[in-house]
Amino acid sequence: MALTGASRDYQRRRRSGESARVEFVELFFDLVFVFAVTQLSSFLLKDLSFQGALESLLMLIAVWWVWNYTAWVTNWLDPAKAPVRGMLFALMLAGLMLSTSIPEAFEGRGLQFALAYVAMQIGRTLFMMWALRNHNPANYTNFVRIVLWLALSGVFWIAGGLAAPENRFMIWVAALAIELVSPALGFWTPWHGASSTADWDVEGGHMAERNALFVIIALGESILVSGVTFAELELNWVNLAAFLTTFFASVAMWLIYFNVGQELAHHKIAHAADTGQIARGAYTYIPMILVAGIIVVAVSDELILAHPLGDADAAVIWTSVGGTALYLAGNLLFKRYVVGRAPLSHIVGLAILAALVPLATFMSPLAIGAATTIVMVLVAYLELRGQPGRNSQDS
């Protein structure tokens, strides 16, 4: 298919001064990843060991990577065109196969996880080559580079799926490392050299919106976990307080990302000369940290709701304090990258969380959850308070 090329041009039509619209089919595609994020948080909740955390992280990066690559593809191709929609529907089916295998990916369903992942990565790239061959030679060549990298990593993914469960993790780490390093190297190959970020011709507004929507997916999963758990609990003041704590934590996380950072980042990438460079850093690598933080906090929410009183164990402390710190650190890096400076409010929040760690062993899970929520609310307030002149600065 990639050898012949499409006779019709399925690329988005871009209009000067306008951001490309996020189509409904893209939102429909995202529903699969609501399920994937839920599966990941459930996987981590069932195994809060160090090994379980590493396995959860590996699968999170894989899920994010396959979603992010698709977001890049729909940045170039028009999802309103029937073949592009068909490609997205096929990816949804493979994504469901990927998501359903997550709970046993390191047990009996490793090959299912690997095959679904490789099918999504290589299948989407071959489709992109077919769509671009006759209409965008420079970008077609870049996807030739990409498919070669994905074929190499695919060998390791499938080998890991076939390997014994105790050997699977390290093989998949190698596969993921190949994919993570390739964009930083411009997908260099001996035959085609490397591409530059200037060649990628990203529509910045669309890329910013797509990534913001994935953050909402992750936050929505956090709210879903809290709601489902609270619905099964006895209605009393302690459980209600725990539920309100988890709810306001989600609200605070939304404010920290969307109140200032997302708006500034959207403006920056939409008006940048090299949108590909910003998209590679701010919308490819850094969001993994944000989403990881949200998922870990969602796990802490469930732990707090299940046992709000009594002494907090290590799992509650590292998921609540550690997850909050991870989320703030991701936001700090995101804003440092797109704005050029690290927000003081985030540094203050991280310092307070560090001071909270030695005290957390003497606190109840509810008290720890309330403390981390207050820290995030404080960060959101301080950041917004420090932004009164941002509109005049941007103009």
Side-chain angles (χ1 to χ4, degrees):
M1 180 177 71
L3 294 177
T4 57
S7 57
R8 296 181 59 186
D9 188 357
Y10 296 113
Q11 296 179 92
R12 285 181 181 266
R13 292 184 179 179
R14 300 184 181 180
R15 296 177 177 86
S16 178
E18 294 184 12
S19 295
R21 173 186 171 185
V22 175
E23 300 288 343
F24 290 125
V25 69
E26 294 177 85
L27 303 178
F28 185 48
F29 169 79
D30 288 350
L31 292 177
V32 171
F33 292 87
V34 175
F35 179 48
V37 170
T38 301
Q39 292 281 74
L40 286 167
S41 62
S42 297
F43 181 92
L44 178 59
L45 183 64
K46 291 177 181 177
D47 185 0
L48 288 165
S49 66
F50 182 67
Q51 181 66 25
L54 290 178
E55 291 173 354
S56 299
L57 178 61
L58 185 147
M59 289 191 291
L60 166 62
I61 296 174
V63 166
W64 164 256
W65 212 239
V66 78
W67 179 89
N68 187 258
Y69 267 50
T70 307
W72 280 76
V73 164
T74 55
N75 190 270
W76 287 304
L77 299 186
D78 186 355
K81 302 293 178 62
V84 182
R85 284 187 174 183
M87 180 266 296
L88 288 175
F89 294 151
L91 290 176
M92 288 179 70
L93 177 58
L96 280 173
M97 296 297 293
L98 179 79
S99 300
T100 55
S101 67
I102 285 173
E104 297 182 20
F106 289 92
E107 296 174 8
R109 288 197 172 189
L111 186 58
Q112 177 184 332
F113 183 93
L115 289 174
Y117 182 86
V118 172
M120 293 180 78
Q121 291 291 73
I122 293 182
R124 183 205 320 103
T125 308
L126 290 174
F127 180 90
M128 193 68 172
M129 291 167 61
W130 170 77
L132 295 178
R133 181 178 174 86
N134 297 329
H135 307 283
N136 190 334
N139 213 3
Y140 165 79
T141 301
N142 195 44
F143 275 89
V144 172
R145 299 183 183 102
I146 291 172
V147 80
L148 293 172
W149 279 90
L150 292 177
L152 176 61
S153 66
V155 172
F156 287 88
W157 282 113
I158 295 173
L162 292 169
E166 60 270 20
N167 299 324
R168 186 168 298 154
F169 179 78
M170 292 310 300
I171 299 174
W172 280 357
V173 166
L176 204 54
I178 291 169
E179 295 193 25
L180 290 175
V181 75
S182 57
L185 298 177
F187 302 103
W188 179 90
T189 66
W191 306 277
H192 300 95
S195 64
S196 69
T197 53
D199 297 331
W200 295 354
D201 190 26
V202 174
E203 204 293 301
H206 176 268
M207 182 64 71
E209 187 173 353
R210 291 297 288 129
N211 278 258
L213 289 171
F214 196 93
V215 172
I216 288 178
I217 287 173
L219 288 172
E221 192 277 336
S222 178
I223 291 174
L224 177 66
V225 166
S226 296
V228 169
T229 305
F230 180 64
E232 298 174 350
L233 299 175
E234 178 187 353
L235 184 58
N236 56 46
W237 288 111
V238 172
N239 290 337
L240 179 60
F243 174 69
L244 291 175
T245 295
T246 62
F247 172 75
F248 285 113
S250 297
V251 172
M253 285 192 287
W254 187 93
L255 290 171
I256 289 169
Y257 182 80
F258 287 95
N259 234 9
V260 175
Q262 199 276 337
E263 177 186 342
L264 292 174
H266 188 287
H267 176 84
K268 173 122 183 201
I269 193 171
H271 296 85
D274 187 353
T275 54
Q277 182 181 28
I278 298 175
R280 183 178 65 182
Y283 294 115
T284 298
Y285 291 114
I286 294 175
M288 291 185 288
I289 305 172
L290 289 170
V291 176
I294 294 171
I295 290 175
V296 175
V297 170
V299 171
S300 79
D301 289 346
E302 192 157 356
L303 293 173
I304 291 168
L305 283 164
H307 302 287
L309 300 180
D311 293 333
D313 58 18
V316 173
I317 296 172
W318 83 257
T319 55
S320 186
V321 180
T324 303
L326 196 60
Y327 184 71
L328 287 182
N331 273 279
L332 185 149
L333 292 173
F334 176 69
K335 293 164 187 176
R336 172 68 178 83
Y337 191 88
V338 298
V339 181
R341 63 181 184 277
L344 179 61
S345 58
H346 293 48
I347 297 173
V348 169
L350 288 169
I352 296 174
L353 290 173
L356 182 62
V357 172
L359 302 175
T361 55
F362 304 102
M363 301 167 67
S364 69
L366 176 56
I368 293 173
T372 54
T373 298
I374 290 170
V375 169
M376 286 193 287
V377 171
L378 176 64
V379 169
Y381 169 74
L382 291 176
E383 182 178 34
L384 188 61
R385 186 180 177 185
Q387 298 294 319
R390 71 180 188 274
N391 291 331
S392 60
Q393 293 170 1
D394 289 347
S395 59

